[in-house]
């Protein structure tokens, strides 16, 4: 077991009607002016935004708003938010939405708390020394940004999608009412479930002598999400299924499922980020599209670990070798993805990726040859190209 630190300072307010407490929660932060940050319209259509405004008004909190965050959030809106917050002396950001809105809020927060260009942090040029405090009202179970230390932003100049992580950006509080996720389109629900599973799977695939406890939590978390994702495909208003998935989403990315490990592999995420940047695919769907290709490519580096996953998570009967069991587990996971309408290759997302685009994806993912990724097996630019190529999918 590796040494570890576990830091999860976000206060969670979970359950039906909890968004009504938002005004009081913000007020308790002692801020003077709040930016309410939201996405492209779902919170307006559902009436949630009006309820949040009413709650802030009732608590006597002064606020301004900035909507328009898109999935795979853009740097240009982050710049706009930074300028607006400076002009209005904003000292707290309330993100009402999903991972994209929360990540955009975190980036604005970095921009206010630090001098210079905020993109420098995402570009790996320097470290942040602070972030404006953030609060969250969560509307989709997926990215886990409500309890994670990360944010992921797309720079339209080159369509580069890059992440930045620091504890400064961890939310002060996260309001989580599973009912708010009932308006999600089926595809977004499924994509979110894949992302949640993947945050634990990325950590699970490592070379450590793992903690039995961490492995057990991880395996159960993934199985729980699979079970309830299936229920939600036919019963989108099943409160308990929504609640199980929502709580799993936060626990899957607040580092709990990485305690005692070396941190995990994360290659699928790095490979997907470039797909999101170039083709604007839903993050979880992009993960499902590359995972099988990645798993088959690296399997030989850790067959026992993949076999354990196959047996304990996918319910596969052990075969004559770890490799055989592992391959059966990968096939079972792909069958699950298909069963909830998720892709298992890039073509399944309607993208006919060209040879030139495959090279460009590998270029960008390797930071133009400047980095390798992955711990199960360390991958360079050529490996990335092969994995993208194998993930392209058969002829249409
Ligand atoms: O913009 P609106 O109109 O709100 O619509 C959104 C968006 O189109 C919609 N939606 C959200 N809640 C809804 C709803 N529609 C109906 N009813 C609701 N209750 O869903 C769409 C997707 O929203 P988005 O915020 O993009 O989803 P998600 O939470 O999956 O976030 C994805 C982003 O997070 C990043 C991803 O790369 C991607 O950019 N990630 C962030 C991480 C982090 N900060 O820790 C980790 C993840 O691995 C991930 O990379
Ligand atoms: Zn993710």
């Amino acid at each position: 077991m590796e040494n570890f630190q576990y830091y999860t300072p976000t206060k969670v307010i979970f359950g039906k009607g909890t968004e009504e407490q938002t005004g009081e929660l913000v007020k308790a932060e002692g801020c003077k002016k709040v930016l309410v940050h939201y996405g492209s319209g779902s919170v307006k259509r559902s009436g949630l935004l009006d309820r949040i405004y009413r709650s802030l008004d009732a608590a006597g909190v002064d606020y301004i708003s900035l909507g328009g965050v898109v999935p795979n959030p853009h740097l240009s809106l982050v710049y706009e938010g930074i300028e607006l917050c400076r002009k209005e002396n904003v000292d707290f950001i309330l993100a009402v939405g999903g991972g994209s809105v929360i990540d955009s809020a975190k980036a604005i927060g970095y921009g206010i708390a630090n001098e210079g260009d905020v993109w420098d942090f995402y570009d790996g040029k320097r470290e942040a020394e602070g972030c404006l405090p953030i609060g969250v009202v969560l509307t989709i179970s997926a990215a886990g940004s409500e309890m994670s230390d990360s944010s992921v932003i797309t720079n339209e100049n080159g369509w580069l999608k890059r992440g930045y992580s620091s504890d400064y950006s961890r939310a002060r509080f996260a309001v989580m009412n599973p009912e708010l996720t009932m308006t999600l389109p089926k595809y977004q629900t499924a994509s979110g479930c894949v992302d949640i599973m993947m945050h634990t799977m990325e950590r699970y695939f490592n070379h450590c002598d793992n903690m039995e406890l961490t492995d057990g939590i991880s395996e159960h978390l993934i199985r729980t999400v699979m079970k309830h994702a299936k229920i939600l495909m036919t019963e989108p208003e099943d409160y308990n299924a929504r609640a199980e998935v929502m709580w799993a989403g936060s626990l899957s990315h607040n580092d709990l499922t990485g305690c005692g490990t070396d941190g995990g592999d994360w290659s699928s995420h790095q490979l997907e980020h470039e797909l999101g940047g170039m083709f604007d695919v839903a993050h979880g769907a992009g993960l499902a599209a590359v995972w099988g290709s990645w798993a088959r490519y690296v399997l030989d580096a850790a067959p026992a670990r993949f076999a354990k996953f196959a047996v304990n998570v996918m319910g596969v009967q052990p075969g004559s070798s770890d490799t055989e069991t592992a391959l059966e587990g990968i096939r079972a996971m792909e069958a699950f993805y298909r069963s909830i309408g998720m892709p298992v290759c890039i073509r399944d997302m309607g993208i006919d990726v060209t040879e030139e685009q495959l090279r460009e994806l590998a270029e960008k993912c390797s930071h133009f040859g400047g980095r390798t990724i992955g711990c199960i097996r360390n991958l360079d630019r050529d490996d990335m190209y092969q994995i993208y190529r194998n993930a392209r999918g058969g002829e249409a």
Side-chain angles (χ1 to χ4, degrees):
M1 189 203 303
E2 304 290 315
N3 292 0
F4 66 91
Q5 286 187 20
Y6 180 53
Y7 178 65
T8 182
T10 305
K11 177 176 179 175
V12 172
I13 303 94
F14 194 99
K16 292 179 185 176
T18 45
E19 67 275 18
E20 303 300 335
Q21 298 173 40
T22 307
E24 289 302 326
L25 286 161
V26 174
K27 191 178 170 188
E29 293 293 330
C31 48
K32 294 195 177 64
K33 196 162 198 176
V34 176
L35 174 73
V36 178
H37 201 32
Y38 59 93
S40 307
S42 75
V43 294
K44 279 190 175 168
R45 289 192 297 277
S46 67
L48 173 65
L49 196 60
D50 282 339
R51 296 212 299 286
I52 297 298
Y53 288 155
R54 277 201 296 277
S55 177
L56 292 169
D57 287 337
V61 172
D62 194 11
Y63 60 87
I64 55 166
S65 318
L66 177 65
V69 179
V70 292
N72 300 315
H74 292 171
L75 181 62
S76 55
L77 191 74
V78 170
Y79 287 147
E80 197 183 322
I82 293 168
E83 209 180 302
L84 178 67
C85 289
R86 287 226 167 97
K87 197 170 107 221
E88 298 280 343
N89 290 317
V90 163
D91 56 358
F92 190 90
I93 306 177
L94 180 67
V96 184
S100 296
V101 174
I102 304 167
D103 288 3
S104 184
K106 288 176 175 178
I108 295 170
Y110 284 129
I112 299 291
N114 298 274
E115 295 296 319
D117 187 353
V118 71
W119 183 250
D120 288 352
F121 306 128
Y122 296 84
D123 207 17
K125 289 197 179 126
R126 60 194 175 103
E127 295 294 330
E129 287 168 7
C131 183
L132 226 55
I134 313 279
V136 172
V137 179
L138 189 64
T139 64
I140 169 171
S141 314
S145 187
E146 67 278 5
M147 286 186 91
S148 83
D149 66 350
S150 327
S151 95
V152 190
I153 298 294
T154 297
N155 186 340
E156 300 101 304
N157 183 9
W159 297 104
L160 298 170
K161 190 173 174 186
R162 297 279 180 268
Y164 181 65
S165 302
S166 89
D167 280 333
Y168 294 122
S169 74
R170 291 201 193 255
R172 297 292 176 98
F173 64 80
V175 171
M176 294 187 225
N177 175 357
E179 289 177 317
L180 299 181
T181 65
M182 290 179 184
T183 50
L184 278 168
K186 200 186 264 193
Y187 190 80
Q188 286 296 341
T189 296
S191 175
C193 287
V194 172
D195 193 21
I196 294 168
M197 291 160 61
M198 282 296 305
H199 291 153
T200 288
M201 286 155 69
E202 296 275 25
R203 292 174 167 93
Y204 189 89
F205 288 105
N206 62 61
H207 282 300
C208 296
D209 180 17
N210 275 49
M211 285 179 75
E212 191 179 325
L213 180 60
T214 296
D215 272 0
I217 293 171
S218 302
E219 290 160 359
H220 196 71
L221 187 147
I222 300 166
R223 287 197 309 268
T224 302
V225 176
M226 289 171 71
K227 174 180 166 186
H228 294 97
K230 282 203 153 186
I231 293 172
L232 290 175
M233 292 303 100
T234 50
E235 315 267 347
E237 302 206 346
D238 184 317
Y239 179 82
N240 283 328
R242 290 284 178 194
E244 295 280 1
V245 168
M246 188 172 240
W247 188 221
S250 301
L251 295 185
S252 193
H253 206 26
N254 78 351
D255 298 329
L256 177 68
T257 59
C259 291
T261 77
D262 59 6
D265 187 84
W266 294 101
S267 294
S268 301
H269 264 74
Q270 299 308 320
L271 293 160
E272 191 289 326
H273 281 171
E274 303 311 329
L275 285 176
M278 267 174 71
F279 300 111
D280 204 23
V281 299
H283 171 61
L287 289 169
V290 295
W291 185 78
S293 172
W294 166 82
R296 288 188 181 87
Y297 195 81
V298 304
L299 170 60
D300 286 346
R305 192 82 187 134
F306 276 92
K308 183 173 181 191
F309 179 82
V311 173
N312 290 359
V313 178
M314 304 312 298
V316 167
Q317 290 298 322
S320 59
S321 69
D322 280 346
T323 301
E324 190 186 315
T325 311
L327 282 169
E328 192 51 39
I330 296 168
R331 279 193 289 274
M333 182 54 86
E334 288 177 328
F336 168 76
Y337 287 156
R338 283 199 196 89
S339 77
I340 59 165
M342 283 287 103
V344 296
C345 65
I346 298 172
R347 186 162 279 138
D348 284 351
M349 297 188 289
I351 300 164
D352 214 355
V353 62
T354 64
E355 180 64 28
E356 197 184 343
Q357 286 170 329
L358 291 172
R359 298 261 170 220
E360 186 180 343
L361 285 163
E363 275 297 320
K364 286 179 168 173
C365 191
S366 68
H367 292 184
F368 307 96
R371 72 159 181 177
T372 57
I373 59 171
C375 87
I376 278 286
R377 178 172 157 191
N378 196 243
L379 306 170
D380 63 16
R381 182 170 37 194
D382 290 340
D383 298 315
M384 296 172 200
Y385 165 77
Q386 283 303 334
I387 293 171
Y388 281 127
R389 197 164 188 285
N390 298 344
R392 180 161 57 171
E395 294 309 312

